[in-house]
Amino acid sequence: MAGLAISFGSGAMTNSIGEIPDSQVLLIVGSNPTSAHPIIGAKMKQALRKGAKLIVVDPRKTEMAQRADVWLRVRPGTDVPLANGLAHIILKNGWEDQEFINTRTEGFEELREHLQKFPPEVVSEITGISEEQLVEAARIYATAEKSQIFYTLGITQHVNGTDNVMCLANLAMLTGNVGKTSSGVNPLRGQNNVQGACDMGALPNVYPGYQAVKDQESREKFEGAWKVTLNETPGLMIPDMFPAATEKNIRGMYIMGEDPILTDADSNHVRKGLQALDFLVVQDLFLTETAKLADVILPAASFAEKTGTFTNTERRVQMVNQAIQPIGNSKTDQEIICELARRMGAGDSFNYKNSEEVMKEIAGLTPQYAGISRERLGKKGLQWPVPTSDHPGTPFLHEGRFTRGKGCFKAIEHTLPAELPDAEFPFLLNTGRILAHYNVMSRNSKALDNYSPEELAELNPQDARKLKIADGECVRISSRRGVLETKIRVTDRVSSGTVFMTLHYKESPANVLTNSGYDKVTKTYEYKVCGVKVEKIER
Amino acid sequence: MKQEKGKEKRKILVCAGTGCLSTGALSLIQELNQEIEAQGLTEQVTVVPTGCHGFCEQGPTLIFEPEQTLYVQVKKQDISEIIDKEFKQDLRIERLLYQDPLTGKKTETFANTNFFVKQERIVLQNCGFIDPENIEDYLARDGYKGLMTALKQKSPDEVIEEVKKSGLRGRGGAGFPTGLKWSFCRQTHADKKYVICNADEGDPGAFMDRGVLEGDPHSVIEGMLIGAYGIGSDEGYIYCRAEYPLAIKHLKKAIKDAEEAGFLGENILGSGFNFKLYIRAGAGAFVCGEETALMASIEGKRGMPRARPPFPAQKGLWDKPTNINNVETWSSVPHILRRGAQWYTQYGTEKSKGTKIFALTGKVNNTGLVEVPMGITLREIIFDIGGGIQDNKKYKAVQIGGPSGGCLPESLLDLAVDYESLTSVGAMVGSGGLVVMDETTCMVDIARFFVNFSQKESCGKCTPCREGNKRMFEILDRITQGKGQLEDLEKLEKLARVIKDSSLCGLGQNAPNPVLASLKYFRDEFLSHILDNQCPAGVCTAFLSYHIDNELCKKCGLCVKNCPVNAISGDKHTPYSIDLETCIKCGICVEKCKFAAVVRSGKE
Amino acid sequence: MEWLTLTIDGKEVSVPKGITVLEACRQHNIRIPTLCHDPSLTNTAACRLCVVEIEGIRNLPASCVTIATQGMVIRTGSDRVKEARKTILELLVANHPLDCMTCQKMGNCSLAQYAYEYGVSGDVFQGDKRELPLDDSNPFIIRDSSKCILCGKCVRACQEEQVNGVLDFFARGFQTQVGPAFNSKLAESECVFCGSCVAVCPVGALTERQMAGKGRPWEITKVQTTCPYCGTGCNFDLNVREGKVIGVTSNSDAPVNGRMLCVKGRFGFDLIHNPERLTTPLIKKKGKFVEASWDEALDLVADKFTEIVQVHGPDTLAALSSAHCTNEENYLMQKFMRAVIGTNNVDHCART
């Protein structure tokens, strides 16, 4: 999300889900909405039903790729040259929105200069996409009245994820496709409240509302509110925590509702770090792989057992309402944290009657949430920014003016993924989600688990023939970091030389294979590219 | 180039419509060609396979041009004699001439035959007289002159005005004024408009459209061209049922020839008007004759009607303004443009102008295609043109308008055939099926037959049609099985009312018509079934019983041998008798008995 | 906005131009029964239950597709209209299994409701009844085609809302059915089990398998909440009976998704009552987890944290907050780490 923050001044989705059915052009990059965000996927299909054009950039033949007017089956890790190439074509044909560029952006001349290096013939060579397809995609995107970009982890989960995002932002600004309805750059956030967790400052460098820890004014504001002196050094990001633990620079961890052994890249380095800790507390609903390593496990209540708010990918803050009492002797995370704080002597500032009082405090400290209150959320929620208590919320961002003032073009160079297939690990492993599951938590639904009980790693028929692997057979997949076993589904959804796996199954935990190489800005792991070896298991 | 009188090349027009093909027309054509060559007459005679002559009962038929001699029921063995007598000796073969069933008189020429005398052939004027696969034949009979008149002399609005003035109404059944329909579509603004020809002729016993498509395909194309010009459309579809392969073949050829001749395509006849025409073959659903279902089917969807409005003139094929007419309507248009609305209005009644083709079938002597001026009486059609009832039986009813029509009794024989008068008595013009019934037809059974057709062909979308017709059928079925009750008639009437009132499309709205008309005109037959346990016509097997008249029985044993269920017993010493418990009432014993000793009675 | 004047059942009313007769009637609280109509789907006018009498129109038009026009005179309660509606209901009931007692839809069935209102009995028309096999081939949806009244809402929800087009009509006349291509079972079809079809079914033809036998509508409390799975933020109703969540149903008030949900949101709720849920604090003693009281567990955590902070400094503690937890909880977690522990070492899986 940092890429968008650099280009526009805000990392959030620029537009609303409700605008999708009225789209004229959808450009979907590295995103499989019909599986990972099914309702958004359905709304996109509604747009197609109404005649919208669709461009899909994806190495994998997803449902949307099959429905696309132009499907760019891009070579993994070449999104930057692709986007630059499209921008090159747009400028060459005069399809840019000069007025928008002049009035709303900066850095255009540098970009123009830089794009000289990305003519179609060069880009075609790098990305594996024909020049005709490049031109057609650029024409559809740039010449429509309104075009809208969607991207997900296929763009961000690379060592150059931030670059990828800025390149997409370039495309949107070049064509004036931002700051109006059904037209913008939209990261589809993965987990139910990942937007909210970021908004709430569950990040090592910012307080709630993206107010920087390093910024003295912000720090003083929170010191005043919380009546403490705050640490002015930004903390560690997740990828740095585990090596720090291994090196004994981190001694204790408190993990709430996460299972990093399964969800973080290169599980073995995560496990190593957790095992090196002096003390590990895990607070969760289930005995997760991570919880098994804990010294203390605190049983938490599920979403049905508590009241609070989630913020979705379109910045909509919505109610979570309690339906039943916490199961057994479990408690809500709020209760547990407050109880712990009290035991550590901070009782006064953790004395909340209910979650509504917490929200009151949040609103007082978080500009985007300033106008939000329990009563106002009701059944429909509110989309931030909601600066005042009578502000109706903000369906789309950057109307007339970017959050950072002027939109910022960035000239981006092409960098290679941290690890590419080689002779020893000849297949490229790509990871993602399937419809029936969400990360690891949905396995705890018996209905969903029965429906989709096991990993089916995807392998191209050509490769399967070569390796003499039939549909449904078991293989061993290994990388420099680990090894696992899984069943194979032979399908042309993946191109030759590629393996696709999900991260849902602890029995075949894809993240023992993935590379912990990460993006230099966001420290997002490169889940999407690493080299693996596939061997048939003879039984 | 006209040849010298008398030396003009003569033609043998062989009916090669589907009916005559099935009775051997194809081998006749082969045989004729061989014989002509064998007798060295190739310079003098040509054989022309034509569309339907209309006289299906008498097929295969030959017409000799130019003198129009008509030979009927021609067989392969007749060919050498025909060639020899006709072209070498100039003699007629008496036995091949048509004999009037009523008077017994032979008629020599086509035009003098009673079957044709009272007809007014406008739409069918080319059918049987041209080679439908030869555009030159069509052009020679003023083909595409209507189009030229439209394009060269009239603005689109004037074309529509002319059709309005002609009083032409939709020949598909409902009789909506054609010019008005066109004007609705013309008035809708859109970047694209379509015209469609509904050639999904599905009524049992109806084959008018097939006759025109097979015999004169260019007339349909020309009509559509004129309509498209008037409406402002540049693309058309002919939706033809796949069960008409010959029609599709002729249409394809005609479209290709018309394209080559510049009547279809870009800048037609230098007018700047463009028109492209495609054929779509239907897959056998009756409901696809309903215009919205037809359009859904062209779009590749399940053929199901949708609610109107929006009417096709506003939102039709692919949501664009669309005008649909049926084959006969389109085919009437060229004549109106060529000869003028004024000319057309001389035919027909005040409100129903022009002619209508009927497919005359059933228990009538001359079955076939007949084109008559609107306003002619049923009696004229059935008795003058149709030559009366077969085997001198008594007329009982005529079923008009297919499964949506009704059965009309003898008292209505003098009814003038037009849209309003037929509707007023509970029938309808429909697409033009005319099924004649005699005293051996059971009217309950007929109502059951048509409702069965409708309930099976219901698309299943709306409740009253899907469920209601099924229940009507079940009630009628029970009545024909002797299980009817008096209250069933009320139930039938209630169902009929609701189905008519509340069904979504024309199929449902008209499906009860055969029942209502039968209940109105033949209620006593229903009552006989229910109260007297009797089928007066002797059709419904449930009421039949068989016994052996021992006075007449010669004890030959033939009935015993032929009974499929061994229900008959008896020998030289014991009288023969039928065990009614075992008897399945198949009637084989009656047929087999040489002494009329097996008696069938209609009452149990 | 332009307004029209209509006469409905003898009363003059004003309605905005462009709406249907059905909408006009409903705006004026005139009850019109419908089975196939749904405000967010296209109107097919298939069930014909909403017919009314309109002066100048020969038949009884379906009010759901008839646009109101100036001066229209509408009758919704005439004998003719009542007879048509009652007969239509009689026809539907005649072809419907009357096993209402064990039907999951009891108490929530539109057909039963209207049959009751119009005084329909089950024996007006004797004859065939469809008897079709039950499709319970999958863990989520029970499809009982014998109960289907062919309103087609499921077909439209699948085509127009989810744009999957798995369901359509097939066969004709009395044999007409709804189903996937080649009448395969749902499990063998392209169905993705979003359950939108279930959400719109007015009768018991499509029901949630997990809810079968678990509760009657009048025993259930519905609580609107936000889905815990992906970032779309769909809302739905948790169906609660006696302190237990027995199912999820759509809530058309949901701002993002309306009635739409995916397989996870609609059918993945059973993780709540998964018997493997942790229900008591656990402390690892000699490599094994031992049940503990909250006081024991929290005191231990507080002591250990305090010890680490005092011995090694606050920056040797780190926390993972959670993208699954609420805003309030995330706020409290980072506040706890920053204000109580004294470190900025707090992060969460923002990137997966």
Side-chain angles (χ1 to χ4, degrees):
Chain A
M1 311 306 127
L4 268 197
I6 295 167
S7 299
F8 295 164
S10 166
M13 194 166 154
T14 57
N15 294 62
S16 295
I17 296 168
E19 296 166 27
I20 295 174
D22 299 320
S23 303
Q24 294 172 357
V25 171
L26 299 164
L27 169 57
I28 303 178
V29 190
S31 179
N32 185 8
T34 52
S35 287
H37 298 88
I39 299 310
I40 291 175
K43 300 217 174 213
M44 289 175 173
K45 291 194 279 182
Q46 288 176 6
L48 300 185
R49 214 171 168 262
K50 287 160 72 174
K53 295 271 182 204
L54 173 64
I55 308 161
V56 171
V57 181
D58 207 309
R60 192 158 163 259
K61 190 157 98 185
T62 60
E63 183 186 345
M64 292 312 268
Q66 282 169 290
R67 289 178 184 251
D69 294 277
V70 183
W71 171 31
L72 307 176
R73 193 169 205 170
V74 69
R75 205 167 275 152
T78 61
D79 302 292
V80 166
L82 173 70
N84 282 344
L86 295 176
H88 177 107
I89 294 165
I90 288 168
L91 287 178
K92 193 171 141 198
N93 288 282
W95 292 330
E96 74 273 21
D97 183 340
Q98 200 57 54
E99 199 199 321
F100 188 92
I101 295 170
N102 292 344
T103 57
R104 303 265 326 253
T105 68
E106 57 194 30
F108 175 64
E109 281 314 316
E110 293 90 299
L111 178 72
R112 182 203 284 279
E113 186 63 31
H114 177 67
L115 291 177
Q116 296 300 317
K117 292 191 281 187
F118 296 90
E121 57 276 17
V122 171
V123 172
S124 174
E125 187 66 32
I126 302 173
T127 58
I129 292 165
S130 73
E131 290 178 41
E132 297 74 49
Q133 273 203 310
L134 291 170
V135 173
E136 180 64 1
R139 188 190 61 77
I140 292 174
Y141 177 75
T143 59
E145 187 197 338
K146 290 173 174 185
S147 291
Q148 174 145 247
I149 297 175
F150 293 88
Y151 67 89
T152 326
L153 306 172
I155 275 295
T156 54
Q157 287 178 347
H158 286 282
V159 287
N160 60 342
T162 307
D163 290 349
N164 287 341
V165 173
M166 289 190 287
C167 281
L168 297 179
N170 286 347
L171 278 180
M173 290 189 289
L174 215 50
T175 52
N177 274 312
V178 64
K180 50 191 181 188
T181 59
S182 303
S183 161
V185 184
N186 297 289
L188 302 177
R189 304 305 302 264
Q191 297 168 93
N192 57 323
N193 198 32
V194 63
Q195 183 69 50
C198 292
D199 296 348
M200 291 303 105
L203 294 168
N205 58 337
V206 292
Y207 298 118
Y210 307 96
Q211 301 170 82
V213 166
K214 278 192 190 157
D215 177 55
Q216 193 179 335
E217 204 179 313
S218 299
R219 200 165 58 244
E220 282 167 2
K221 171 174 164 186
F222 283 92
E223 285 176 337
W226 294 342
K227 302 189 177 63
V228 287
T229 311
L230 291 172
N231 186 334
E232 56 191 71
T233 322
L236 298 179
M237 290 187 181
I238 291 180
D240 296 330
M241 287 180 182
F242 303 113
T246 312
E247 289 155 23
K248 286 292 185 185
N249 292 327
I250 294 284
R251 297 275 175 162
M253 274 188 87
Y254 181 12
I255 300 180
M256 170 173 81
E258 299 262 353
D259 190 5
I261 288 193
L262 282 184
T263 58
D264 283 43
D266 190 1
S267 306
N268 291 330
H269 101 284
V270 177
R271 187 181 292 271
K272 214 168 126 195
L274 293 175
Q275 279 168 339
L277 291 171
D278 295 348
F279 189 64
L280 172 62
V281 182
V282 173
Q283 184 168 312
D284 211 312
L285 274 67
F286 293 96
L287 186 65
T288 61
E289 293 302 296
T290 304
K292 286 176 186 166
L293 300 178
D295 295 288
V296 176
I297 299 177
L298 304 173
S302 77
F303 78 107
E305 297 144 45
K306 60 191 176 191
T307 298
T309 56
F310 288 157
T311 304
N312 76 349
T313 186
E314 55 165 5
R315 302 166 275 102
R316 186 184 299 272
V317 185
Q318 305 188 94
M319 286 304 300
V320 176
N321 290 308
Q322 184 178 4
I324 55 171
Q325 291 303 312
I327 299 286
N329 201 13
S330 65
K331 288 181 191 290
T332 65
D333 294 297
Q334 173 172 341
E335 264 183 282
I336 301 172
I337 296 168
C338 291
E339 185 64 27
L340 190 57
R342 274 195 290 276
R343 278 165 210 259
M344 293 184 72
D348 288 351
S349 60
F350 281 82
N351 194 11
Y352 304 98
K353 277 207 289 283
N354 48 37
S355 63
E356 194 174 346
E357 288 194 354
V358 183
M359 182 47 82
K360 214 174 273 171
E361 184 173 316
I362 293 168
L365 291 165
T366 314
Q368 295 90 329
Y369 283 61
I372 291 178
S373 63
R374 186 58 48 86
E375 311 82 72
R376 286 199 67 200
L377 290 179
K379 288 184 156 201
K380 300 284 181 192
L382 283 168
Q383 282 175 282
W384 69 251
V386 191
T388 59
S389 60
D390 55 0
H391 189 279
T394 311
F396 60 94
L397 301 176
H398 315 305
E399 185 175 15
R401 181 182 179 279
F402 283 101
T403 309
R404 74 181 289 280
K406 284 203 168 186
C408 177
F409 283 113
K410 286 283 177 188
I412 307 290
E413 293 292 351
H414 174 38
T415 49
L416 289 172
E419 176 181 293
L420 281 171
D422 54 21
E424 194 186 349
F425 298 100
F427 284 92
L428 189 147
L429 175 73
N430 179 11
T431 62
R433 297 190 173 103
I434 57 166
L435 171 66
H437 285 302
Y438 203 82
N439 285 8
V440 291
M441 67 185 283
S442 55
R443 290 292 303 286
N444 294 310
S445 156
K446 286 281 162 278
L448 295 175
D449 197 38
N450 288 343
Y451 175 55
S452 201
E454 58 186 354
E455 177 68 48
L456 290 168
E458 294 178 354
L459 189 67
N460 184 277
Q462 222 175 309
D463 298 331
R465 240 190 327 273
K466 242 183 274 170
L467 295 168
K468 299 197 169 52
I469 298 166
D471 197 66
E473 284 190 322
C474 282
V475 299
R476 180 181 300 118
I477 302 183
S478 49
S479 76
R480 287 186 175 79
R481 291 154 296 277
V483 58
L484 55 77
E485 292 183 5
T486 176
K487 268 195 188 170
I488 284 288
R489 171 178 287 160
V490 177
T491 169
D492 69 347
R493 273 206 288 267
V494 288
S495 52
S496 181
T498 311
V499 179
F500 174 83
M501 285 187 73
T502 74
L503 42 84
H504 307 312
Y505 300 94
K506 61 178 178 224
E507 299 82 356
S508 305
N511 280 327
V512 304
L513 305 173
T514 49
N515 187 2
S516 59
Y518 49 70
D519 181 79
K520 55 195 180 290
V521 181
T522 63
K523 303 215 169 166
T524 302
Y525 293 119
E526 186 153 48
Y527 290 96
K528 296 298 178 193
V529 183
C530 77
V532 295
K533 181 162 67 184
V534 180
E535 298 159 286
K536 185 171 175 176
I537 300 174
E538 304 292 347
R539 296 221 190 257
Chain B
M1 209 189 321
K2 272 251 158 138
Q3 285 181 312
E4 199 184 320
K5 179 86 181 156
K7 292 205 173 160
E8 205 174 319
K9 193 166 176 178
R10 294 175 64 191
K11 285 182 190 164
I12 309 176
L13 306 174
V14 187
C15 175
T18 294
C20 286
L21 284 180
S22 70
T23 47
L26 215 56
S27 61
L28 285 190
I29 293 168
Q30 269 175 8
E31 196 70 23
L32 280 167
N33 279 323
Q34 278 168 19
E35 196 60 33
I36 288 165
E37 203 173 322
Q39 300 201 22
L41 290 165
T42 40
E43 290 299 306
Q44 287 99 308
V45 197
T46 330
V47 179
V48 181
T50 71
C52 184
H53 291 171
F55 211 7
C56 308
E57 180 77 28
Q58 300 291 333
T61 53
L62 306 186
I63 296 170
F64 296 87
E65 289 267 78
E67 61 288 320
Q68 295 209 345
T69 310
L70 172 73
Y71 280 175
V72 301
Q73 296 183 347
V74 180
K75 293 183 188 57
K76 227 168 135 179
Q77 307 84 274
D78 302 324
I79 298 299
S80 64
E81 188 188 351
I82 290 173
I83 301 295
D84 183 58
K85 290 242 170 85
E86 187 72 31
F87 298 102
K88 296 239 164 109
Q89 308 177 36
D90 199 20
L91 291 171
R92 302 291 93 81
I93 305 171
E94 190 74 4
R95 75 182 141 81
L96 293 177
L97 294 174
Y98 172 68
Q99 180 176 24
D100 191 295
L102 297 178
T103 60
K105 256 176 61 189
K106 297 256 178 185
T107 40
E108 203 163 279
T109 66
F110 167 83
N112 288 337
T113 311
N114 263 348
F115 182 70
F116 294 103
V117 169
K118 284 215 172 177
Q119 291 196 43
E120 197 61 64
R121 291 169 75 99
I122 296 173
V123 172
L124 292 178
Q125 71 171 26
N126 291 336
C127 275
F129 294 94
I130 63 167
D131 176 357
E133 294 192 85
N134 187 344
I135 192 172
E136 294 300 329
D137 274 22
Y138 183 66
L139 290 171
R141 289 172 71 107
D142 293 331
Y144 290 108
K145 286 237 172 94
L147 175 67
M148 291 176 209
T149 312
L151 293 185
K152 303 222 158 127
Q153 296 169 21
K154 292 192 190 303
S155 69
D157 286 320
E158 285 166 350
V159 166
I160 292 179
E161 202 44 47
E162 192 72 15
V163 175
K164 273 187 185 168
K165 271 197 287 188
S166 76
L168 176 65
R169 294 168 66 173
R171 297 296 190 237
F176 195 83
T178 305
L180 192 61
K181 193 173 188 175
W182 290 9
S183 69
F184 292 152
C185 193
R186 172 159 187 82
Q187 282 154 19
T188 312
H189 290 281
D191 55 342
K192 182 93 189 167
K193 291 178 187 179
Y194 295 100
V195 294
I196 296 175
C197 173
N198 183 348
D200 192 50
E201 188 172 47
D203 284 8
F207 50 98
M208 301 72 58
D209 294 346
R210 190 186 73 201
V212 176
L213 293 169
E214 287 177 359
D216 195 11
H218 284 285
S219 68
V220 180
I221 297 170
E222 186 181 354
M224 290 181 79
L225 274 159
I226 294 166
Y229 172 70
I231 289 158
S233 157
D234 65 353
E235 193 172 325
Y237 287 86
I238 299 175
Y239 186 87
C240 183
R241 67 194 313 227
E243 295 91 327
Y244 285 177
L246 191 65
I248 292 176
K249 180 176 168 239
H250 289 182
L251 276 171
K252 279 189 178 157
K253 175 76 165 57
I255 288 174
K256 188 168 159 277
D257 289 348
E259 279 169 355
E260 278 166 14
F263 296 118
L264 278 172
E266 306 274 300
N267 192 19
I268 295 163
L269 303 176
S271 63
F273 166 61
N274 309 323
F275 190 66
K276 193 94 183 97
L277 188 55
Y278 302 94
I279 302 171
R280 285 285 179 275
F286 177 70
V287 74
C288 285
E290 198 279 343
E291 59 185 10
T292 58
L294 185 153
M295 292 187 301
S297 178
I298 291 180
E299 291 173 7
K301 299 175 189 153
R302 176 182 161 92
M304 265 183 159
R306 62 156 175 79
R308 293 171 300 185
F311 289 95
Q314 293 129 24
K315 260 188 171 190
L317 191 61
W318 289 299
D319 284 345
K320 300 292 180 190
T322 301
N323 184 82
I324 305 191
N325 287 115
N326 91 328
V327 172
E328 197 181 333
T329 316
W330 286 124
S331 193
S332 303
V333 169
H335 305 287
I336 293 168
L337 265 288
R338 182 164 54 87
R339 304 172 77 167
Q342 195 62 42
W343 162 82
Y344 192 75
T345 54
Q346 69 180 295
Y347 304 102
T349 62
E350 195 200 331
K351 285 185 170 172
S352 303
K353 295 291 180 204
T355 57
K356 173 80 193 97
I357 310 175
F358 288 98
L360 187 57
T361 57
K363 305 284 178 64
V364 69
N365 276 313
N366 298 332
T367 62
L369 276 190
V370 303
E371 182 173 358
V372 292
M374 287 285 194
I376 192 171
T377 64
L378 285 170
R379 190 184 297 281
E380 285 172 287
I381 298 176
I382 295 164
F383 289 91
D384 296 346
I385 298 173
I389 308 301
Q390 286 173 3
D391 303 329
N392 289 317
K393 290 232 163 64
K394 201 168 157 330
Y395 168 90
K396 186 188 243 176
V398 61
Q399 212 283 347
I400 181 163
S404 314
C407 293
L408 303 179
E410 191 165 14
S411 59
L412 292 172
L413 271 179
D414 292 311
L415 189 78
V417 173
D418 64 39
Y419 292 106
E420 279 73 23
S421 61
L422 281 176
T423 309
S424 73
V425 296
M428 66 190 295
V429 171
S431 55
L434 267 178
V435 187
V436 179
M437 295 155 192
D438 66 13
E439 55 195 302
T440 64
T441 313
C442 168
M443 299 315 289
V444 183
D445 185 54
I446 284 294
R448 177 184 163 280
F449 170 85
F450 279 108
V451 170
N452 192 21
F453 179 87
S454 294
Q455 67 106 2
K456 279 190 177 154
E457 291 293 344
S458 164
C459 79
K461 182 173 181 175
C462 78
T463 319
C465 176
R466 178 186 70 240
E467 309 283 338
N469 281 313
K470 165 77 175 174
R471 300 305 169 203
M472 285 228 284
F473 166 71
E474 286 177 338
I475 294 170
L476 290 164
D477 196 49
R478 281 202 295 273
I479 296 175
T480 60
Q481 286 177 18
K483 296 174 193 156
Q485 290 172 333
L486 209 49
E487 68 195 51
D488 281 341
L489 299 187
E490 275 167 48
K491 263 189 206 173
L492 278 177
E493 275 162 344
K494 180 176 96 165
L495 274 174
R497 236 180 0 251
V498 172
I499 296 170
K500 276 182 82 70
D501 255 357
S502 59
S503 286
L504 173 69
C505 82
L507 192 157
Q509 286 162 11
N510 293 307
N513 287 352
V515 181
L516 285 175
S518 299
L519 275 171
K520 185 170 172 188
Y521 300 117
F522 303 96
R523 199 178 188 89
D524 51 334
E525 281 198 40
F526 286 80
L527 294 173
S528 294
H529 283 72
I530 294 168
L531 299 176
D532 310 337
N533 238 334
Q534 194 179 16
C535 173
V539 172
C540 300
T541 51
F543 301 101
L544 298 181
S545 69
Y546 293 81
H547 70 273
I548 292 169
D549 184 339
N550 280 297
E551 303 265 300
L552 297 170
C553 177
K554 303 279 189 251
K555 298 186 174 174
C556 68
L558 207 54
C559 56
V560 178
K561 254 184 252 166
N562 282 288
C563 178
V565 291
N566 297 320
I568 310 177
S569 59
D571 55 39
K572 285 216 158 70
H573 313 290
T574 351
Y576 278 67
S577 70
I578 300 173
D579 175 16
L580 293 176
E581 291 285 297
T582 318
C583 174
I584 55 164
K585 302 167 182 179
C586 66
I588 288 178
C589 50
V590 180
E591 277 170 41
K592 293 292 172 184
C593 182
K594 291 173 177 159
F595 314 104
V598 186
V599 182
R600 179 184 2 221
S601 60
K603 194 166 178 175
E604 204 157 28
Chain C
M1 199 189 302
E2 210 177 315
W3 289 77
L4 308 171
T5 308
L6 320 177
T7 308
I8 307 178
D9 296 336
K11 223 175 73 192
E12 226 170 67
V13 298
S14 283
V15 298
K17 195 179 171 181
I19 69 171
T20 63
V21 171
L22 176 68
E23 286 162 333
C25 290
R26 288 191 171 169
Q27 280 182 10
H28 289 87
N29 295 321
I30 291 159
R31 208 173 145 76
I32 305 238
T34 54
L35 286 169
C36 70
H37 168 77
D38 186 290
S40 53
L41 300 173
T42 54
N43 281 314
T44 56
C47 75
R48 314 305 288 178
L49 209 51
C50 71
V51 291
V52 294
E53 218 176 318
I54 297 176
E55 271 183 20
I57 297 182
R58 184 167 40 97
N59 298 335
L60 298 179
S63 59
C64 66
V65 289
T66 308
I67 303 295
T69 54
Q70 176 59 33
M72 213 177 228
V73 179
I74 300 154
R75 276 183 289 275
T76 72
S78 67
D79 288 346
R80 194 172 156 213
V81 169
K82 278 194 223 155
E83 181 191 51
R85 288 185 190 159
K86 186 173 177 182
T87 306
I88 289 165
L89 288 165
E90 283 167 352
L91 287 168
L92 288 172
V93 169
N95 195 15
H96 195 83
L98 299 177
D99 58 354
C100 305
M101 263 184 284
T102 53
C103 181
Q104 179 63 19
K105 203 72 180 181
M106 187 193 198
N108 207 4
C109 171
S110 303
L111 180 62
Q113 180 59 34
Y114 293 136
Y116 172 72
E117 267 178 48
Y118 282 80
V120 170
S121 72
D123 56 357
V124 179
F125 299 108
Q126 294 86 33
D128 289 350
K129 260 189 191 199
R130 279 172 313 167
E131 281 176 37
L132 301 167
L134 195 78
D135 176 5
D136 56 357
S137 59
N138 66 86
F140 311 116
I141 298 171
I142 299 177
R143 192 163 69 95
D144 186 351
S145 296
S146 301
K147 289 181 182 167
C148 174
I149 56 167
L150 298 165
C151 69
K153 277 197 215 176
C154 54
V155 174
R156 280 172 283 150
C158 193
Q159 283 177 355
E160 296 170 13
E161 288 189 344
Q162 295 280 352
V163 202
N164 285 327
V166 174
L167 298 175
D168 204 344
F169 295 96
F170 67 92
R172 274 184 232 160
F174 192 72
Q175 308 300 327
T176 309
Q177 283 183 53
V178 166
F182 311 113
N183 196 20
S184 62
K185 298 197 153 146
L186 282 179
E188 290 142 25
S189 73
E190 296 289 304
C191 176
V192 294
F193 299 102
C194 67
S196 285
C197 53
V198 180
V200 295
C201 183
V203 294
L206 292 160
T207 51
E208 295 91 347
R209 186 171 186 169
Q210 289 152 296
M211 287 173 81
K214 294 284 162 54
R216 290 299 192 185
W218 54 88
E219 301 170 317
I220 291 172
T221 314
K222 292 186 184 232
V223 180
Q224 182 177 341
T225 195
T226 305
C227 179
Y229 286 106
C230 81
T232 306
C234 297
N235 274 24
F236 51 61
D237 284 343
L238 287 172
N239 286 225
V240 181
R241 183 193 172 209
E242 292 175 359
K244 235 186 135 177
V245 177
I246 60 159
V248 160
T249 49
S250 294
N251 181 328
S252 30
D253 284 337
V256 175
N257 56 307
R259 254 185 336 221
M260 291 201 286
L261 287 171
C262 76
V263 63
K264 298 184 285 286
R266 193 182 300 276
F267 300 115
F269 64 89
D270 57 343
L271 74 85
I272 298 166
H273 296 288
N274 184 325
E276 286 166 31
R277 275 279 297 273
L278 297 167
T279 54
T280 185
L282 298 169
I283 296 174
K284 198 179 261 170
K285 291 178 181 165
K286 292 181 193 152
K288 279 200 169 144
F289 286 112
V290 178
E291 293 194 0
S293 71
W294 276 104
D295 278 341
E296 237 179 302
L298 287 172
D299 283 344
L300 177 60
V301 175
D303 290 350
K304 278 286 184 183
F305 281 180
T306 311
E307 185 192 317
I308 292 172
V309 171
Q310 281 169 1
V311 178
H312 303 287
D315 280 338
T316 61
L317 266 179
L320 294 192
S321 195
S322 175
H324 295 303
C325 292
T326 63
N327 287 325
E328 291 79 354
E329 290 159 346
N330 275 287
Y331 173 82
L332 291 173
M333 177 56 107
Q334 61 87 33
K335 182 179 172 188
F336 173 78
M337 291 307 285
R338 289 183 163 124
V340 181
I341 303 291
T343 179
N344 286 307
N345 286 340
V346 58
D347 200 359
H348 70 285
C349 278
R351 305 153 195 100
T352 58

